[in-house]
Amino acid sequence: MTATSVTVIGLGPMGHAMAGTYLDKGYEVTLWNRTPAKADGLVARGAHRADTVEAALKANDLVVLSLTDYAAVYAILEQAPAALAGRTIANLTSDTPTQAREAAEWTAARGAVQITGGVQVPPPAIGTPEAVTYYSGPKEAIETHRAALEVLTGIDYLGEDPGLAALFYQIGIDMFWTGLVGYLHGQAVAQANGISAQQFLPHAVKTMDFRYFLEFYAPRIDAGNHEGDVDTLAMGAASLEHVMHTARASGVDSSLPAAVLDLFRRGIAAGHGQDSLTSLAKVLKP
Ligand code: NDP
């Protein structure tokens, strides 16, 4: 147990990348995974395979968890709750803010400290300078383990509330999934019309660069200013109908633009036809 030794529990693509990065940086790494064979390659590179969860927890002060969800966290930690005492659990498992807060209490009741993390990059970016993770929880614990955490990613510390990192992560991932599926829908229309994703790539990059719109709308959203001076829901609904018809004519499923159009129509029915699309905030959260 040294300042450069760590336990990693969970060897999906993310945990595997984390454990590999620690090995690359000369850390002594102890591993536990439900499916032990997933550790084979890392053990061949010098990692220790713990036979039990208890042994994995006892091996190091800092224990990094990278699991599918918090149900998996409990399924594992409940195998050896007594071994949690004195440990710092860097829980880089994504789940809801409520789950993160409850797990922090559950962990504290067993004498351990939970740091919540929401990793903002995919596995291949772990250990690279651009990688960042949202963190929240006890600042002191994060400072104690700063060097080890920064082996994986930069630290974007949000505050003491253990749910904050999960909340920021979920807000980001909300935009990520809906935005990326929008990209895929556009590419389905492109491909149905003989345009390859590579051919459209420079246009996709420009279209998906929302920075101008985000910086324009953010202060208006905060001020509750939904003035339709540059765009209106009525204009947006007409545009979405064109998108839907183009998708249908291309033989592409149109349920995604139809869902967005439904949202716009609800905004119009609520009297916001001449307001900006930001007035949808009132439909999304009445
Ligand atoms: P996976 O879902 O592939 O993680 C699987 C890990 O969880 C494996 O170690 C698996 O064990 C374990 N696990 C799942 N259920 C249980 C259970 N009931 N009991 C014991 N172990 C269980 O996810 P990733 O590795 O891709 O990601 C890990 C976390 O990081 C997730 O919370 C994810 O949201 C987050 N994340 C992932 C990113 C990505 O691009 N992959 C990006 C940013 C965040 P076993 O091997 O035995 O199946």
Side-chain angles (χ1 to χ4, degrees):
M1 203 183 284
T2 69
T4 56
S5 70
V6 64
T7 290
V8 178
I9 294 181
L11 295 175
M14 186 57 89
H16 200 278
M18 290 174 170
T21 302
Y22 276 125
L23 288 174
D24 289 345
K25 294 284 160 67
Y27 273 63
E28 195 174 345
V29 181
T30 299
L31 304 171
W32 188 89
N33 194 57
R34 177 180 62 177
T35 308
K38 286 193 187 169
D40 288 353
L42 294 159
V43 170
R45 290 173 55 196
H48 309 292
R49 189 194 327 254
D51 291 333
T52 60
V53 172
E54 182 182 12
L57 292 174
K58 285 186 170 169
N60 288 297
D61 285 340
L62 178 63
V63 177
V64 173
L65 300 186
S66 177
L67 300 160
T68 305
D69 52 28
Y70 276 51
V73 170
Y74 291 118
I76 292 169
L77 297 184
E78 277 172 349
Q79 293 177 35
L84 281 165
R87 300 290 166 267
T88 297
I89 307 295
N91 197 344
L92 309 186
T93 302
S94 62
D95 210 314
T96 64
T98 301
Q99 285 279 11
R101 291 180 185 122
E102 286 175 2
E105 284 180 20
W106 185 91
T107 309
R110 284 150 188 84
V113 172
Q114 174 179 285
I115 299 169
T116 315
V119 182
Q120 295 178 51
V121 292
I126 295 298
T128 64
E130 66 270 19
V132 182
T133 296
Y134 293 125
Y135 279 102
S136 68
K139 187 156 179 52
E140 194 185 335
I142 289 174
E143 291 310 326
T144 301
H145 296 288
R146 175 173 282 277
L149 297 174
E150 284 183 338
V151 166
L152 304 178
T153 69
I155 294 173
D156 186 353
Y157 180 67
L158 300 168
E160 296 278 326
D161 171 3
L164 263 185
L167 179 60
F168 271 60
Y169 178 86
Q170 294 306 338
I171 292 168
I173 215 77
D174 181 336
M175 298 187 290
F176 175 82
W177 286 128
T178 49
L180 207 55
V181 173
Y183 164 71
L184 286 179
H185 191 269
Q187 295 323 293
V189 174
Q191 293 210 316
N193 289 279
I195 301 165
S196 73
Q198 282 286 12
Q199 189 183 348
F200 201 80
L201 182 58
H203 309 287
V205 168
K206 272 189 201 157
T207 304
M208 298 299 289
D209 179 2
F210 287 115
R211 189 186 182 103
Y212 168 83
F213 296 99
L214 306 187
E215 290 179 349
F216 177 76
Y217 285 126
R220 287 180 168 222
I221 291 170
D222 284 345
N225 172 9
H226 304 303
E227 194 184 340
D229 52 344
V230 294
D231 75 284
T232 64
L233 276 189
M235 176 279 285
S239 168
L240 277 161
E241 281 184 25
H242 306 155
V243 172
M244 258 181 48
H245 293 147
T246 305
R248 281 185 188 151
S250 305
V252 171
D253 183 293
S254 62
S255 55
L256 185 65
V260 184
L261 178 58
D262 175 63
L263 203 55
F264 275 54
R265 285 187 175 144
R266 283 160 53 202
I268 292 167
H272 298 298
Q274 294 310 307
D275 293 337
S276 165
L277 75 86
T278 60
S279 64
L280 289 178
K282 296 181 181 178
V283 178
L284 293 169
K285 190 181 182 310

